[in-house]
Amino acid sequence: MASPTSTNPAHAHFESFLQAQLCQDVLSSFQGLCDALGLEPGGGLPQYHKIKAQLNYWSAKSLWAKLDKRAGQPVYQQGQACTGTKCLVVGAGPCGLRTAVELALLGARVVLVEKRTKFSRHNVLHLWPFTIHDLRALGAKKFYGRFCTGTLDHISIRQLQLLLLKVALLLGVEIHWGVTFTGLQAPAGKGSGWRAQLQPSSPAQLANYEFDVLISAAGGKFIPEGFTVREMRGKLAIGITANFVNGRTVEETQVPEISGVARIYNQKFFQSLLKATGIDLENIVYYKDDTHYFVMTAKKQCLLRLGVLRQDWPDTDRLLSSANVVPEALQRFARAAADFATHGKLGNLEFAQDARGRPDVCAFDFTSMMRADSSARIQEKHGARLLLGLVGDCLVEPFWPLGTGVARGFLAAFDAAWMVKRWAEGAAPLEVLAERESLYQLLSQTSPENMNRNVAQYGLDPATRYPNLNLRAVMPNQVRDLYDVVTKESVRKSDRTDSGTPSTGSAGTQEDLLHWCQEQTAGYPGVHVTDLSSSWSDGLALCALVHRLHPGLLDPSELQGVGALEATARALKAAEHELGIAPVLSAQAVVAGSDPLGLIAYLSHFHSAFKSTPHSPGPVSQASPGTSSAILFLGKLQRTLQRTRAKENGEDAGGKKLRLEVEAETPSIEEPSIPEPSAPLTPPSQNQEAGAEDLCALCGQHLYILERVCVDGQFFHRSCFCCHTCEATLWPGGYGQHPGDAHFYCLQHLPQPDHKDGSDRRPESPELPTPGESSLPAGTSTPTAPQEGASPVRSPSQTKSRRRIRLSSLERQRLSSLNITPDSEMEPPPKPPRSCLVLAREALEGSFVGWGMPSQTLQVHEATEEEENPSSSEGEGEEEEAVALDSDLEQTLMTLAKNSGTMDKYPTWRRTLLRRAKEEEMKRFCKAQAIQRRLNEIEAALRELEAEGVKLEQALRSKSSSPEQQKKFWLEQLLQLVQKKNSLVAEEAELMIMVQELNLEEKQLQLDQELRGYLNREEALKTAADQQAEEQVLRKLVDVVNQRDTLIRFQEERRLSELASGTGIQG
């Protein structure tokens, strides 16, 4: 073995190759290594074996061991699986290089072309566990000693490209720089093959290279001819990335990274940011790598207000063009946001330089993302077949807040290489395409949680990565359009066109709707449905329909002597509150028969929701097709908030007493009426002439059926129904109306009863209704949690307020000895007994799950850390991030280690705890961003539906002489749009349930941390104010736990209902 001081030129070149940090240095040092060994670069897998045989160097042996272990997997067949296959890979991004590595291991000849000449992207990528293991197995720690040494697992794009480039060169991939692929050159005749059109003119060896496989990894802006793409649009989303110089000082290493903070569940942070800097963001992430990397989503109005954007343009490309962005203002914006997020601990933030020597900060648009309709194609001409595949951004553009780009990119690279292997084995072309498309269907659904747990077994075979794999999900006869036999001189585009999203199912014809309504209302006295207009004017038919679907509501005997208007109003309210059918017209319009089109659209919602529900004596099941239990749940939550605020406005706060109520509430039969706002809205005068549903209650403009949003009997444009303070769209269950000004606000800006300004402190969310209330005829008034903005030290008036908090049996047992029922005449309240605090401390010390470290899995975590710690030969240059834990948490962990006599394991436990906590934060952030993105997509889809619906409704309402058949067709189209809208609104409600979960989870974490601070203080040092504050935090924590429990029970009840429904259908 050569010594470390060896003077062998090959050894020196190899060391330079390992340490090179610039693309040109990597290439020159590798060329020097090959010259010293008498080899020619780009010789395929045999070249690797020659380098390994000749370079008997101590520093290289650990790398050879890793690469040999990978190449020795059976799937590669000792590098003989694809020996006769010639491949061209376009693009030297991470996905292109990773694909090239796999193809080289299979034994194929691989040529890669890249239009750039250097790697300059500092942006940082989040890594999933399998990508970390995969890169370690390729020698990542050998090439980059700092690989995954922080509290978050990530790597800069530039470093990832460098280490994959080094692996590709060692495995014999032939790489050409500064070469742009412009298209395909079809075979000129029999006996010739497919070639590439390249710019500038390439050497004859490359220009004449004929290949069997083309893999495009050239990014989202380049899709090979023949592929079609689909656009997925959301609301306007402007991202900002900034890279600052990382001086690697002690102070910088101690600044914790931010795995992600999202407004959707942590509004307090963004309120503080806005107040301190004027910057309004949706989210922010901070990673520490080669640079200090920040990425955030900014609001357009904020960028305009702060002068980052010169003018507001409807076209996004023009809005974010270099001519419309002020560089200096953008730099100030990014620097201020980064400084606030890190509490100024990074010192003087200096921008890193991009490829052109300018400050590395930019604004980009990710409103829409592109996704290829297919992942592979085959073209044939003169008997020469060419297999084309997509990987990376040209296959699916990632949504950056989810951190899925490189992980799913690597999965697509493995799937593409598996496809090439099957192609080389001689599998039928359509079989190859069908398997690839079956795998492509799985790609967008993958996450670390739903893939195989054992990442060490991951390999090229899809079965090692995907559980419950079905390679026959797409059949060969379904991919015939992906096989092109070219008959013309040039490669033609596929005749396949994007026909758009197929219909979700017919909404039914007008005759079907009438027949269904007649069946449902048959047998009710005084009800004779003969049409979809005048038969409903007395209200009895609508009451009969509601009673049929929910026999507990609107019994016919209760309607005797009730007028048509009152009966209709009762039916509309019952349908909305108990069936989840939102009204699209008022009771007056139904009785007057002034909006027959709106009535048809309203009844069609009943039809589509309950047409497959059999007649039954009981109320409709939550799992009935078309009905959304989430809509019912959120409606109950919204009414709870309104009743609570009404009581707060109508009662004297000083007359209430605060107590802990553990008895369950008894549901009442009648739901308390919701008082009307004290200051009604004042729409324009023409609203008096038209129906309430014809004009928007806010803007006074005409309302079409698809545009109508009904809130407390008033109708609005969806775009008008937004927060009066921040103009954010109001989601179901996330808003309130202030009785003082009658304006609507999001919960973040909803004024308190004693405050008039919408910018004042935010109210605590009301206690969630119990699951059963969603389907009961009525619900009782549910209590609310203490005000979040209230002072920890209660005033006398606060001590008298009376609230109810329901406890589980376990909570009753643990809190049974806690006396927190203060007498209003006693000051201060009695001190809680020590036993409760001891019990709480023990519970908190044993509940490390929220922080990512269950005590029973310490040994597993220790083993994990030992596996992740590299050997000394690979750890050169490694730096461990020195981030401090929360002082209370660190003290608890230290005590745990001392008491168990395992202080030697404390550093490992500490690192594990910190990493697990960051991982939990990352999961919560990714979930929040996925929800936010889908909400934005739903909003964009609803806007498109509204635009289509307006055109159809205008055509139907016009006095034109269009044929009746044409009008009938328009009506059916309108009903289909109504059904699509109802489906999207139901999905939106499901997402808002998930938002509630995230909000409560975040609150529990914050309250838990706050309570730890009080519990860790000595009892003798606590003042009366401290004890009162601790008591209030404990109450809040119990209330939040109860609300989370309510959500869990609601979802469990719904799951059981769905199971019961499914069993009934099968029976």
Side-chain angles (χ1 to χ4, degrees):
M1 182 173 70
S3 66
T5 58
S6 173
T7 58
N8 188 325
H11 297 174
H13 286 302
F14 182 77
E15 287 297 333
S16 299
F17 175 71
L18 289 181
Q19 304 301 326
Q21 290 296 299
L22 296 175
C23 184
Q24 293 301 324
D25 292 344
V26 172
L27 297 175
S28 61
S29 59
F30 185 72
Q31 183 65 54
L33 174 63
C34 290
D35 291 342
L37 299 177
L39 301 174
E40 192 68 29
L45 201 56
Q47 172 203 278
Y48 163 70
H49 294 298
K50 293 177 182 177
I51 293 177
K52 184 181 68 170
Q54 296 186 45
L55 193 64
N56 186 22
Y57 181 38
W58 70 271
S59 183
K61 287 191 174 182
S62 60
L63 179 60
W64 303 151
K66 288 183 176 294
L67 295 180
D68 285 346
K69 183 178 179 180
R70 179 76 184 195
Q73 293 181 4
V75 70
Y76 300 114
Q77 300 174 18
Q78 298 298 318
Q80 301 298 310
C82 298
T83 50
T85 304
K86 291 188 266 187
C87 306
L88 177 68
V89 178
V90 181
C95 296
L97 287 166
R98 190 64 191 85
T99 307
V101 167
E102 286 302 307
L103 294 175
L105 288 170
L106 286 167
R109 182 186 175 189
V110 185
V111 175
L112 185 147
V113 293
E114 167 58 48
K115 64 180 180 180
R116 296 183 178 89
T117 57
K118 58 183 176 180
F119 298 148
S120 58
R121 290 185 287 176
H122 294 295
N123 293 356
V124 180
L125 303 172
H126 173 63
L127 299 177
W128 289 5
F130 94 85
T131 54
I132 299 172
H133 187 276
D134 178 69
L135 292 171
R136 285 187 185 277
L138 294 177
K141 293 293 293 184
K142 191 70 178 179
F143 300 118
Y144 183 48
R146 296 191 181 95
F147 180 69
C148 288
T149 55
T151 55
L152 290 172
D153 297 323
H154 51 66
I155 188 172
S156 71
I157 298 177
R158 191 180 73 86
Q159 285 292 350
L160 181 56
Q161 286 177 288
L162 283 172
L163 73 87
L164 288 175
L165 171 63
K166 295 173 183 179
V167 175
L169 289 171
L170 287 172
L171 295 178
V173 176
E174 182 181 330
I175 302 178
H176 298 269
W177 302 94
V179 177
T180 302
F181 175 86
T182 59
L184 286 169
Q185 181 179 334
K190 288 189 176 182
S192 59
W194 293 84
R195 300 179 183 179
Q197 296 176 355
L198 305 169
Q199 289 182 351
S201 298
S202 304
Q205 180 183 1
L206 180 59
N208 296 329
Y209 177 60
E210 295 182 352
F211 44 88
D212 314 301
V213 177
L214 172 67
I215 301 295
S216 176
K221 295 184 178 179
F222 177 79
I223 308 292
E225 193 173 14
F227 287 91
T228 58
V229 296
R230 182 173 70 256
E231 182 183 29
M232 298 174 288
R233 290 196 64 82
K235 216 167 51 170
L236 176 64
I238 301 175
I240 295 176
T241 60
N243 284 279
F244 300 97
V245 174
N246 186 355
R248 303 193 185 279
T249 62
V250 175
E251 293 75 18
E252 287 175 295
T253 60
Q254 292 178 346
V255 178
E257 296 177 293
I258 302 174
S259 58
V261 183
R263 178 187 291 272
I264 199 170
Y265 63 82
N266 191 348
Q267 298 172 349
K268 183 178 179 182
F269 171 85
F270 294 97
Q271 278 184 304
S272 302
L273 173 65
L274 178 62
K275 184 176 181 180
T277 65
I279 293 174
D280 202 3
L281 299 179
E282 290 289 345
N283 52 47
I284 188 169
V285 173
Y286 161 49
Y287 289 156
K288 193 186 311 178
D289 210 273
D290 279 354
T291 60
H292 296 293
Y293 171 68
F294 291 84
V295 58
M296 60 202 81
T297 302
K299 294 189 175 181
K300 181 181 71 172
Q301 294 302 325
C302 170
L303 296 176
L304 289 167
R305 175 168 44 83
L306 296 179
V308 177
L309 301 177
R310 302 180 194 273
Q311 285 184 271
D312 187 6
W313 300 104
D315 179 65
T316 309
D317 291 337
R318 190 173 184 184
L319 179 71
L320 297 179
S321 65
S322 57
N324 198 47
V325 176
V326 181
E328 296 78 11
L330 179 60
Q331 293 169 31
R332 289 194 299 270
F333 184 99
R335 185 181 282 113
D339 190 64
F340 180 88
T342 56
H343 306 287
K345 294 181 179 179
L346 288 178
N348 184 25
L349 291 169
E350 177 187 352
F351 282 100
Q353 301 298 303
D354 63 12
R356 300 181 181 178
R358 300 175 303 188
D360 194 353
V361 57
C362 73
F364 63 96
D365 167 45
F366 62 101
T367 303
S368 63
M369 296 179 294
M370 310 305 294
R371 176 186 176 89
D373 286 323
S374 61
S375 59
R377 300 185 67 85
I378 294 176
Q379 293 183 353
E380 180 180 346
K381 186 175 182 181
H382 297 308
R385 291 175 178 171
L386 175 67
L387 177 64
L388 299 96
L390 304 180
V391 297
D393 288 2
C394 64
L395 179 63
V396 179
E397 285 187 329
F399 181 49
W400 72 260
L402 300 185
T404 58
V406 69
R408 290 179 180 168
F410 276 22
L411 290 174
F414 297 154
D415 294 340
W418 176 259
M419 173 185 68
V420 175
K421 179 179 183 293
R422 296 280 290 133
W423 175 263
E425 289 172 345
L430 291 181
E431 288 282 351
V432 173
L433 291 174
E435 281 192 12
R436 180 67 188 96
E437 294 309 306
S438 298
L439 292 172
Y440 183 37
Q441 288 185 349
L442 297 175
L443 187 63
S444 61
Q445 307 168 22
T446 55
S447 69
E449 289 74 31
N450 62 18
M451 296 184 65
N452 284 333
R453 298 295 184 184
N454 186 6
V455 297
Q457 74 173 8
Y458 281 25
L460 200 59
D461 188 342
T464 64
R465 295 176 272 122
Y466 305 113
N468 305 317
L469 176 65
N470 179 16
L471 291 176
R472 307 286 291 177
V474 177
M475 300 302 292
N477 64 337
Q478 296 176 273
V479 294
R480 292 185 182 277
D481 58 339
L482 302 181
Y483 193 152
D484 289 340
V485 178
V486 184
T487 57
K488 299 181 180 180
E489 287 301 316
S490 60
V491 179
R492 64 176 174 86
K493 288 188 179 181
S494 170
D495 293 333
R496 179 170 178 256
T497 57
D498 186 5
S499 58
T501 304
S503 172
T504 56
S506 173
T509 64
Q510 190 172 348
E511 290 77 11
D512 294 337
L513 178 60
L514 177 59
H515 180 67
W516 182 81
C517 290
Q518 290 171 337
E519 285 185 342
Q520 298 298 314
T521 57
Y524 284 87
V527 177
H528 303 285
V529 175
T530 59
D531 55 34
L532 296 175
S533 55
S534 59
S535 297
W536 305 82
S537 59
D538 59 0
L540 294 179
L542 195 56
C543 289
L545 180 61
V546 173
H547 182 265
R548 174 76 73 182
L549 299 174
H550 198 312
L553 299 172
L554 303 177
D555 190 275
S557 61
E558 300 176 359
L559 299 175
Q560 296 179 1
V562 176
L565 188 60
E566 183 180 350
T568 304
R570 288 187 186 182
L572 291 174
K573 180 179 179 181
E576 180 181 11
H577 290 187
E578 308 302 336
L579 299 179
I581 307 293
V584 295
L585 74 171
S586 63
Q588 293 86 346
V590 176
V591 173
S594 59
D595 189 8
L597 198 59
L599 180 60
I600 292 174
Y602 181 59
L603 293 175
S604 72
H605 195 175
F606 286 90
H607 180 222
S608 62
F610 300 103
K611 61 185 177 183
S612 59
T613 303
H615 296 320
S616 61
V620 64
S621 168
Q622 285 186 352
S624 298
T627 62
S628 171
S629 55
I631 290 179
L632 296 173
F633 187 81
L634 290 177
K636 184 71 67 174
L637 176 62
Q638 189 61 44
R639 294 189 293 277
T640 299
L641 175 61
Q642 289 175 301
R643 288 195 301 269
T644 302
R645 291 189 59 79
K647 287 195 298 183
E648 288 177 349
N649 291 327
E651 297 181 16
D652 179 14
K656 302 178 187 176
K657 292 184 179 181
L658 181 66
R659 67 186 178 92
L660 186 65
E661 183 68 56
V662 299
E663 291 82 6
E665 299 181 50
T666 304
S668 61
I669 303 302
E670 290 286 337
E671 182 176 6
S673 59
I674 302 171
E676 294 294 325
S678 58
L681 296 171
T682 56
S685 58
Q686 63 263 34
N687 196 16
Q688 305 300 325
E689 302 175 5
E693 70 281 357
D694 291 334
L695 298 177
C696 176
L698 286 174
C699 72
Q701 299 299 313
H702 187 79
L703 267 175
Y704 293 90
I705 293 173
L706 265 295
E707 295 178 317
R708 295 174 188 172
V709 174
C710 182
V711 179
D712 297 339
Q714 296 175 310
F715 293 88
F716 307 90
H717 289 105
R718 187 178 174 90
S719 57
C720 292
F721 188 56
C722 58
C723 176
H724 182 67
T725 299
C726 65
E727 299 183 353
T729 301
L730 297 178
W731 309 109
Y735 67 88
Q737 186 178 19
H738 190 259
D741 56 18
H743 291 302
F744 291 95
Y745 297 88
C746 63
L747 294 183
Q748 179 182 356
H749 298 112
L750 182 63
Q752 295 298 291
D754 54 343
H755 291 267
K756 303 299 181 184
D757 183 8
S759 62
D760 285 327
R761 55 193 170 90
R762 175 175 64 91
E764 188 79 17
S765 299
E767 180 176 308
L768 300 176
T770 61
E773 289 176 336
S774 299
S775 56
L776 291 175
T780 184
S781 175
T782 50
T784 60
Q787 301 296 329
E788 185 176 280
S791 169
V793 183
R794 295 171 295 162
S795 64
S797 63
Q798 287 175 314
T799 61
K800 296 178 182 180
S801 61
R802 182 183 297 272
R803 307 275 182 165
R804 288 183 178 181
I805 301 177
R806 289 191 294 272
L807 298 177
S808 66
S809 58
L810 178 61
E811 289 163 343
R812 292 185 205 177
Q813 178 183 355
R814 291 190 174 186
L815 297 178
S816 59
S817 61
L818 178 59
N819 178 17
I820 51 175
T821 310
D823 191 320
S824 58
E825 300 177 357
M826 296 179 62
E827 191 102 22
K831 177 180 177 181
R834 176 66 179 173
S835 59
C836 175
L837 296 182
V838 172
L839 184 63
R841 182 186 297 274
E842 292 175 355
L844 289 174
E845 288 182 354
S847 64
F848 275 86
V849 177
W851 299 90
M853 194 190 72
S855 58
Q856 65 269 26
T857 58
L858 287 176
Q859 294 180 353
V860 177
H861 291 158
E862 181 185 357
T864 302
E865 287 296 320
E866 290 176 356
E867 179 184 348
E868 291 180 353
N869 286 333
S871 62
S872 58
S873 62
E874 293 182 354
E876 298 174 6
E878 178 181 339
E879 294 180 6
E880 188 73 33
E881 184 179 355
V883 179
L885 280 173
D886 175 82
S887 57
D888 295 328
L889 185 59
E890 185 147 18
Q891 181 61 40
T892 302
L893 187 63
M894 180 75 74
T895 302
L896 185 64
K898 286 180 179 179
N899 294 341
S900 60
T902 54
M903 279 300 295
D904 57 320
K905 298 179 181 179
Y906 170 75
T908 300
W909 289 4
R910 184 183 183 280
R911 285 196 305 271
T912 303
L913 179 61
L914 197 57
R915 291 176 67 85
R916 293 297 185 268
K918 291 293 184 181
E919 288 172 4
E920 291 300 318
E921 290 177 6
M922 172 66 74
K923 289 179 182 178
R924 190 161 65 253
F925 176 72
C926 290
K927 183 177 181 181
Q929 293 311 298
I931 293 172
Q932 186 69 64
R933 175 66 189 186
R934 184 54 190 156
L935 288 172
N936 291 342
E937 289 176 349
I938 288 174
E939 188 170 345
L942 287 172
R943 284 200 301 265
E944 294 177 1
L945 289 179
E946 289 173 1
E948 294 180 43
V950 168
K951 294 179 182 178
L952 287 171
E953 189 174 344
Q954 288 174 340
L956 285 167
R957 293 185 186 275
S958 67
K959 304 295 183 179
S960 65
S961 57
S962 301
E964 287 301 317
Q965 190 67 23
Q966 178 66 54
K967 290 185 177 180
K968 182 178 179 181
F969 176 70
W970 286 340
L971 179 58
E972 290 180 7
Q973 284 187 309
L974 182 64
L975 295 182
Q976 287 182 5
L977 294 181
V978 170
Q979 182 177 344
K980 289 180 180 178
K981 175 188 175 181
N982 294 334
S983 176
L984 288 173
V985 170
E987 184 185 355
E988 182 182 61
E990 297 284 352
L991 293 172
M992 291 311 301
I993 293 289
M994 298 169 69
V995 170
Q996 293 284 350
E997 289 179 318
L998 287 172
N999 277 323
L1000 292 174
E1001 183 179 348
E1002 181 70 17
K1003 288 178 183 177
Q1004 183 173 348
L1005 287 174
Q1006 293 175 355
L1007 290 170
D1008 183 66
Q1009 186 174 7
E1010 189 175 352
L1011 184 60
R1012 288 174 190 272
Y1014 287 116
L1015 294 177
N1016 286 334
R1017 298 182 190 177
E1018 290 293 335
E1019 285 295 313
L1021 301 179
K1022 291 182 182 179
T1023 65
D1026 290 336
Q1027 294 169 355
Q1028 291 177 345
E1030 179 181 344
E1031 178 185 319
Q1032 188 175 33
V1033 171
L1034 181 60
R1035 291 168 190 247
K1036 286 185 178 182
L1037 183 58
V1038 170
D1039 186 70
V1040 169
V1041 170
N1042 279 335
Q1043 293 182 50
R1044 290 189 70 183
D1045 181 63
T1046 298
L1047 273 179
I1048 292 172
R1049 286 187 285 115
F1050 161 75
Q1051 293 175 333
E1052 179 64 14
E1053 181 183 277
R1054 181 171 58 179
R1055 185 184 69 84
L1056 294 175
S1057 298
E1058 291 172 352
L1059 287 175
S1061 176
T1063 304
I1065 292 174
Q1066 290 178 1

